Amino acid sequence: MKTKELLGLMASLVLRCDDCISYHVAQCKDAGVNRDEFFETFSVGLVVGGSIVIPHLRRAVDFLDQLEAGDAPAAPAHDHG
C-alpha cells in the first residue's frame, strides 16, 4: 500500500494536480510513510516533472506539515480513479 500511494503521489506531482497531491499525501501518511520517504518521493517528482513542479511541492510540504501538526483540513476526494 505504501508503494502504491507513493507512486500516486509522485504521479500527481508530475501532473501538477494539487487536490490529488493532497489526497495522496494523506493516504501516504495513513499508510505509515515517514518524512524521509516523502522527501525522497518529492525529489523524484521534481526530477521527473522539472522546476514547474516546485509550487506544488511547496503546497505538498505545507499540507504534510499541517497533517503532522494535527491541524490539516480534510484531504480532497480523489476523482481520477
Side-chain angles (χ1 to χ4, degrees), residues 38-54:
F38 272 110
F39 278 84
E40 184 176 7
T41 302
F42 294 156
S43 295
V44 173
L46 180 59
V47 168
V48 173
S51 62
I52 197 166
V53 171
I54 291 171

Side-chain angles (χ1 to χ4, degrees), residues 12-48:
S12 298
L13 285 165
V14 171
L15 294 171
R16 302 183 314 274
C17 178
D18 287 330
D19 284 348
C20 294
I21 292 166
S22 295
Y23 172 84
H24 286 292
V25 167
Q27 293 297 307
C28 285
K29 190 74 179 146
D30 288 346
V33 172
N34 66 43
R35 198 162 177 93
D36 287 341
E37 292 167 324
F38 272 110
F39 278 84
E40 184 176 7
T41 302
F42 294 156
S43 295
V44 173
L46 180 59
V47 168
V48 173

